[in-house]
Amino acid sequence: MDSATTTNQQVQTLYEQCDPGGRGYITRGDLNCLQGHVPLDDAQLDELFAILDKGQQGQLTLEEFTKGFETELCAEHGFLNPGQFLGQTVKPLEMITAGESDHDSDTQLDQVMQATGAGILLKDYDQVGRIWKELRQVNPSLLPEFEKMLASIATEIRTVRTEYENMESMIRTKFNRQEEHLGQLLEDLEQQMTQERERLLEEERSKERKLRETLTNELRQKENMSNELLQQYEQARTRLDELEKARMDTIQEKDRLQQEKVKLEKCLADKESALNECKEYIEMLQKKAREDRRTRAKAAIELSENIALEREDLVRQLDTLR
């Protein structure tokens, strides 16, 4: 019986476990019978049923279950065929040949692993053993090639391990030499650093001395400038006092002049009043003088006329006397 037929029988056996009554279809609740036979929990069984139920009818036939198991489930979990998936079950189905026990299979596996040397060198002992058992059950003809491959892998691992140990020894020796060389370089570097540090310290001391001298000279110059500024300040203070005194004198003189101005303004007002009175009096005198002149002129005219009349009378009288 070939592996494909065995796998189909395994899938059909799973289906029959879900449909013990022979209804010809299974539902989601029937898949709970697979727990313990396939490495899927409730959520994964829900996802499995949704994947297999293409028509979303809520039930699966044997053909749908088998076809979906081969195409969808194996591809989803990365298995090449349902046989590989069923090889991962928690509780294997009836895959062990009649008359053969698990103890004998484990004993033979241990002998093979010891003979090839893979039992000591390989880390994934359980996984290799599971593959060996699966090949022994599904396709025993491949076991010699698989055991030969294990022996080749073990030999290669031994070679690599030997090379690794030799390389590790060489690296350790080289590391020790480099460590000694680095130690010598470190001592030389420390000596150079010490010399450089002393040189830098001497340069710093020289710079510090020069800087101290420069700062001392600058401080002395600042002190001289400060003394000069202090003298200038004293002179300015004296000048300010003099100006303040002059200002006070000016204020007093201003007050005196202000008072004198008030007096002069009052005197001027009095003078202006007297002048106005004089002007009025003069105008009155001038008016009176004009009137007097007019009166005198009139009187003189009358007098002249009288004199002229009297003269004429006298002339007539003289003429008469002649």
Side-chain angles (χ1 to χ4, degrees), residues 216-262:
T216 302
N217 294 330
E218 290 181 356
L219 181 60
R220 190 176 295 110
Q221 293 176 0
K222 296 294 183 182
E223 288 178 352
N224 294 332
M225 291 176 61
S226 177
N227 293 330
E228 292 178 358
L229 290 174
L230 184 60
Q231 292 177 359
Q232 293 177 3
Y233 172 77
E234 293 295 336
Q235 294 175 359
R237 185 60 182 268
T238 303
R239 179 61 179 168
L240 181 62
D241 293 339
E242 293 176 354
L243 292 175
E244 183 67 19
K245 183 178 180 181
R247 188 179 71 85
M248 296 301 297
D249 295 340
T250 302
I251 292 174
Q252 293 177 359
E253 182 67 18
K254 180 181 177 181
D255 293 339
R256 187 183 64 78
L257 292 174
Q258 188 70 24
Q259 294 175 0
E260 187 174 353
K261 177 184 176 183
V262 172

Side-chain angles (χ1 to χ4, degrees), residues 167-306:
M167 185 176 295
E168 186 178 11
S169 177
M170 291 175 60
I171 291 174
R172 189 179 296 107
T173 303
K174 188 174 181 180
F175 177 77
N176 293 332
R177 291 177 182 175
Q178 289 181 351
E179 190 174 11
E180 293 177 358
H181 181 63
L182 288 175
Q184 184 64 35
L185 290 177
L186 183 60
E187 291 179 359
D188 296 340
L189 182 61
E190 288 179 352
Q191 185 176 1
Q192 293 178 3
M193 289 178 63
T194 302
Q195 295 175 356
E196 184 68 17
R197 188 183 300 110
E198 292 177 354
R199 186 183 65 81
L200 292 175
L201 287 175
E202 184 62 27
E203 290 181 357
E204 290 296 329
R205 293 191 190 97
S206 177
K207 291 180 180 179
E208 185 179 358
R209 285 194 298 269
K210 293 180 180 179
L211 181 60
R212 187 182 296 109
E213 292 176 357
T214 302
L215 292 176
T216 302
N217 294 330
E218 290 181 356
L219 181 60
R220 190 176 295 110
Q221 293 176 0
K222 296 294 183 182
E223 288 178 352
N224 294 332
M225 291 176 61
S226 177
N227 293 330
E228 292 178 358
L229 290 174
L230 184 60
Q231 292 177 359
Q232 293 177 3
Y233 172 77
E234 293 295 336
Q235 294 175 359
R237 185 60 182 268
T238 303
R239 179 61 179 168
L240 181 62
D241 293 339
E242 293 176 354
L243 292 175
E244 183 67 19
K245 183 178 180 181
R247 188 179 71 85
M248 296 301 297
D249 295 340
T250 302
I251 292 174
Q252 293 177 359
E253 182 67 18
K254 180 181 177 181
D255 293 339
R256 187 183 64 78
L257 292 174
Q258 188 70 24
Q259 294 175 0
E260 187 174 353
K261 177 184 176 183
V262 172
K263 292 179 180 179
L264 291 174
E265 287 178 350
K266 184 178 180 182
C267 182
L268 179 61
D270 295 339
K271 296 293 184 182
E272 287 179 351
S273 178
L275 180 60
N276 291 330
E277 292 178 356
C278 289
K279 285 181 179 180
E280 292 177 357
Y281 181 72
I282 291 172
E283 289 177 357
M284 184 185 67
L285 292 176
Q286 289 177 351
K287 184 178 180 181
K288 187 176 181 180
R290 284 194 299 271
E291 291 177 353
D292 290 342
R293 283 196 301 270
R294 191 178 297 114
T295 303
R296 285 196 300 271
K298 187 177 180 181
I301 291 171
E302 291 178 353
L303 181 61
S304 296
E305 290 178 352
N306 292 329

Side-chain angles (χ1 to χ4, degrees), residues 77-93:
H77 291 273
F79 296 101
L80 298 177
N81 54 63
Q84 289 185 352
F85 177 80
L86 294 174
Q88 305 296 321
T89 56
V90 179
K91 293 183 179 180
L93 301 173

